[in-house]
Amino acid sequence: MLVATAIEKMIDFYKGNRHDINHFLKVWSFAKTIGEKEGLDEDTQEILELTAVVHDIACPLCREKYGNANGKMQEKESAPLVDAFFSELPVEKQKVERIRWLVEHHHTYTDVKSADHQILLEADFLVNAAEKGLGKEAVAHFLENVAKTDCGRRLLQSIFLDK
């Protein structure tokens, strides 16, 4: 129920921007799938799914402020937006802190030490690769250097490389 409420709230937040809405819904879907297949515990799964819903919360602000939604600028601008978003939802403080950290690092592919961070990176890449029409070389590079989960690797292989 909490994730569904966050989804509804995020759709309202994007004010009809169908690209942003569809993007976060696809990332959430992949994150949910990978997390469940990888056997995350219930709390980590909830944090992952809530993070996937809000991972690009800074995009509208960045487009307005910088003229683009560069990943590093998103990471920089996201914290107060995440805090405001969750201030009206019944999410424990430590979970909001974890969600904020993950959103602040969802374009950081180095020093990944946790399953929720890893899965978020993989889910976002799966969607970005399709939306940007990335070629097999870029996907193979991600598969070789970044992707770690069995499910994420299978999805990348099946969607982009088994043709």
Side-chain angles (χ1 to χ4, degrees):
M1 180 74 160
L2 178 59
V3 174
T5 300
I7 288 171
E8 183 179 36
K9 184 173 176 162
M10 198 69 205
I11 289 170
D12 290 343
F13 175 86
Y14 279 131
K15 298 179 180 162
N17 182 319
R18 290 185 208 140
H19 173 269
D20 287 353
I21 293 166
N22 286 320
H23 177 83
F24 94 77
L25 287 170
K26 290 183 276 187
V27 172
W28 167 72
S29 177
F30 279 124
K32 178 176 173 49
T33 300
I34 298 168
E36 288 177 357
K37 292 293 287 183
E38 295 296 317
L40 294 184
D41 65 81
E42 191 176 313
D43 280 344
T44 305
Q45 182 72 30
E46 182 178 64
I47 289 167
L48 172 64
E49 290 187 41
L50 290 170
T51 303
V53 169
V54 300
H55 78 282
D56 278 347
I57 196 166
C59 282
L61 173 67
C62 288
R63 287 187 203 108
E64 183 179 315
K65 191 172 180 178
Y66 304 109
N68 64 65
N70 171 281
K72 288 302 171 189
M73 300 288 43
Q74 288 179 48
E75 290 180 340
K76 176 184 169 193
E77 298 287 350
S78 62
L81 297 169
V82 170
D83 290 342
F85 184 89
F86 286 105
S87 69
E88 299 172 8
L89 294 175
V91 181
E92 299 156 20
K93 182 181 178 185
Q94 76 264 19
K95 285 186 179 183
V96 174
E97 289 171 358
R98 181 64 182 162
I99 293 164
R100 182 185 331 112
W101 186 91
L102 288 165
V103 172
E104 290 176 319
H105 294 87
H106 81 278
H107 286 283
T108 303
Y109 289 15
T110 56
D111 205 27
V112 178
K113 295 180 180 172
S114 62
D116 51 4
H117 187 194
Q118 181 64 45
I119 293 168
L120 181 64
L121 294 176
E122 292 176 13
D124 197 28
F125 183 85
L126 279 157
V127 176
N128 284 329
E131 288 177 352
K132 295 176 181 178
L134 295 183
K136 285 186 175 187
E137 285 183 22
V139 174
H141 178 78
F142 184 89
L143 186 61
E144 183 177 322
N145 296 292
V146 181
K148 302 275 189 275
T149 69
D150 290 338
C151 181
R153 293 177 61 79
R154 280 193 307 273
L155 290 170
L156 284 161
Q157 187 71 41
S158 177
I159 295 168
F160 296 102
L161 301 175
D162 286 348
K163 293 180 182 178

